[in-house]
Amino acid sequence: SQTIHQWPATLVQPVGSPLSLECTVEGTSNPNLYWYRQAAGRGLQLLFYSVGIGQISSEVPQNLSASRPQDRQFILSSKKLLLSDSGFYLCAWSAHSGRETQYFGPGTRLLVL
Amino acid sequence: RKEVEQDPGPFNVPEGATVAFNCTYSNSASQSFFWYRQDCRKEPKLLMSVYSSGNEDGRFTAQLNRASQYISLLIRDSKLSDSATYLCVVNGGGGSYIPTFGRGTSLIVHP
């Protein structure tokens, strides 16, 4: 069966510090991968998606970046965090057909102070 | 008009009640539809897919109306454990890999 991992579960970082969140998927190959952010009391905002190694599409302009160095690994990064980067970051995967169900990781709760 | 719209609620219902949520979508080419459940401070989890003919899973029934471009979720005999936010998701249309999430409807089931 497929599983998706995210770490860390929670993170408190000072403004201006770098960020690296990792997501890995097991039990499937060539998945579509997604990064979302959910601010407190708000809906899901798609940040990035990837249909293959090295292929990243950005949905919103921001100071975050994403990379996919391996088929089942998706990394979200920032060189300098802003207060507004605080939120609940969720990684998700779906089968490559694009119309399939998305499955979410447990998320990383980030607080930027 | 937003791509996927939901009434944010909250819907406050007693145990045992029947409650229904609707969700409207704007892209008539959309091809797949889902309901997710999100508990407080947790990730969204798939509740059920929504098929054209309608489908039922225990106390939960999902319907799709393509002509009017909405999907619905009916919960019968509500339990305290049904308290959560219910997200409507619409996918596909033009080969898109990007699902569109509604902002969710909050349900509170009280004793």
Side-chain angles (χ1 to χ4, degrees):
Chain A
S1 64
Q2 301 88 5
T3 55
I4 179 168
H5 304 278
Q6 281 187 251
W7 62 93
T10 59
L11 194 57
V12 180
Q13 291 284 96
V15 168
S17 63
L19 174 74
S20 180
L21 302 181
E22 189 161 342
C23 169
T24 58
V25 182
E26 295 177 357
T28 186
S29 58
N30 197 26
N32 292 340
L33 295 172
Y34 309 82
W35 276 112
Y36 289 88
R37 176 171 58 206
Q38 188 173 38
R42 306 288 297 276
L44 288 168
Q45 179 186 34
L46 180 63
L47 302 175
F48 301 94
Y49 70 95
S50 172
V51 300
I53 296 174
Q55 300 179 64
I56 308 294
S57 296
S58 175
E59 287 295 294
V60 293
Q62 59 205 308
N63 71 322
L64 299 170
S65 61
S67 62
R68 186 169 176 175
Q70 300 179 46
D71 181 46
R72 289 169 285 180
Q73 183 185 28
F74 205 22
I75 298 172
L76 183 69
S77 304
S78 173
K79 292 181 179 177
K80 286 187 177 182
L81 284 168
L82 306 173
L83 288 174
S84 58
D85 291 325
S86 294
F88 190 34
Y89 287 83
L90 290 155
C91 180
W93 75 273
S94 69
H96 199 63
S97 71
R99 298 200 308 258
E100 301 299 324
T101 308
Q102 283 192 328
Y103 298 94
F104 286 84
T108 295
R109 201 160 295 278
L110 172 66
L111 179 60
V112 182
L113 300 175
Chain B
R1 180 181 174 187
K2 293 181 183 175
E3 291 187 58
V4 177
E5 290 199 63
Q6 294 183 251
D7 181 344
F11 285 63
N12 209 316
V13 304
E15 271 186 292
T18 295
V19 61
F21 310 135
N22 280 340
C23 165
T24 59
Y25 61 95
S26 60
N27 185 354
S28 59
S30 298
Q31 297 180 19
S32 52
F33 309 87
F34 308 93
W35 283 103
Y36 279 71
R37 170 194 169 125
Q38 186 173 23
D39 293 294
C40 187
R41 301 177 70 83
K42 297 287 189 180
E43 74 274 24
K45 293 185 178 178
L46 178 68
L47 179 64
M48 58 198 303
S49 302
V50 186
Y51 303 120
S52 297
S53 55
N55 48 300
E56 188 174 309
D57 182 2
R59 299 182 291 107
F60 298 84
T61 301
Q63 298 275 359
L64 167 63
N65 186 318
R66 285 191 183 272
S68 301
Q69 295 182 205
Y70 76 85
I71 66 174
S72 63
L73 177 68
L74 180 77
I75 305 175
R76 292 182 298 278
D77 189 22
S78 299
K79 311 293 185 189
L80 295 176
S81 58
D82 293 334
S83 298
T85 297
Y86 291 83
L87 305 173
C88 166
V89 183
V90 175
N91 206 354
S96 170
Y97 294 105
I98 310 302
T100 303
F101 282 76
R103 293 186 64 174
T105 297
S106 176
L107 172 65
I108 301 171
V109 182
H110 59 81

